[in-house]
Amino acid sequence: MLTILDSVLPLFLLIFVGFFAGKAKMLNEGGVKAIGTFVFYFAMPPLLFKLMATTDLDRIWEPAFISVYLYAEALVFLGGAIFVGLVLRRPFAAMTVAGFGCSFSNGVLLGLPLMLAVFGEAGAAPALIVITLDVLLYSVVTLLLELAKVGPGDRKSSWASLAQTMRSIALNPIVTSTVLGLAWGAMGFSVSGVADKTISLIGQAAPPTALFALGASLSLRTISGSLGTAAVMISGKLFVHPLLVILIGVFLIPLDPFWLAAAVVFAALPVGANVYIFAENYGIAIASASTAVLVSTGISMVTVTAVLWWFQAG
């Protein structure tokens, strides 16, 4: 247990430091955005590139892991969306945001640093697989929200918006650096000399800065709005999602212990910040998404630690 706390606690303390900096007004909203920009465009891409360029492709291609995670993600998405629609009587767009919140982990800012801290470099492979799979989830959510925004006879604008989203994803530095790293390694090229030192130096800044940026961004969130929708997202993300991964990964598509642990830990991560970004962009369930991101991150300190302890004990 102490070993787990030694790995997990510093990560959440970094989040708290960022949160404190935001609440203490040491950073304004512009400052928080600037730190996030540094992480997203300058620090994380070199780290991802090197990890992928030096990773054996056989370790990346894990069909069973991909299947388990996708099935669980789809089920919790549908379950959360249907519950919000049928029980809470929310409109289709709010159902989509709720499903997104139930299924989307905070992978880049928290997932990758956590997986590296707990599993070492081996943790990079499952984390990067899920981060890459998120491209599919982004596309589905975008299409659904666009369909909810326009009338039945105006589908062209929806497809145009989806095409624009796909172009943005293709130019996304996280996706691009991952793909380029894979290609670089597949061609047998190495990363050495000045390039290696430079990439390593800036890449080392990515995990701690990402955690600080996450905490700072959370300081801008508030607990308000429809707590029912937020509660569905929080419970779906922290409890239902990892439970589905366990059930599928043990009984339907058996995974070996490492990949099962990685899948469950990643599924147990809090609601990703992009859920709030999507909600704000489309003007749907903004307060609920904000609440879900903030509260789930706080609770996940306990739940993620419990999941790691359970796997260690097992």
Side-chain angles (χ1 to χ4, degrees), residues 1 3 18 24-25 53 95 132 145 150 166 172 188 207 226-227 229 231 246 248 251 254 279 299:
M1 186 65 176
T3 303
K25 305 301 181 183
M95 291 169 59
T132 304
L145 289 174
V150 301
M166 296 306 297
N172 182 302
S226 174
L227 297 182
T229 301
I246 292 173
I248 297 171
F251 298 107
I299 298 175

Side-chain angles (χ1 to χ4, degrees), residues 158-170:
S158 297
W159 290 109
S161 178
L162 180 60
Q164 177 60 41
T165 299
M166 296 306 297
R167 284 193 293 270
S168 298
I169 289 173

Side-chain angles (χ1 to χ4, degrees), residues 77 81 91-103 141 145 229 233 271 275-276 278-279 282 284-286 288-289:
F77 184 103
F92 182 77
M95 291 169 59
T96 300
V97 171
F100 191 27
C102 288
S103 57
V141 170
L145 289 174
T229 301
M233 288 191 273
V271 179
V275 176
Y276 171 78
F278 269 69
Y282 285 92
I284 299 294
I286 298 173
S288 296

Side-chain angles (χ1 to χ4, degrees), residues 62-101:
E62 287 289 336
F65 173 85
I66 294 171
S67 298
V68 168
Y69 202 88
L70 278 179
Y71 287 150
E73 191 173 62
L75 286 173
V76 75
F77 184 103
L78 290 172
I82 292 171
F83 184 91
V84 166
L86 294 181
V87 178
L88 301 183
R89 303 294 182 182
R90 299 292 185 263
F92 182 77
M95 291 169 59
T96 300
V97 171
F100 191 27

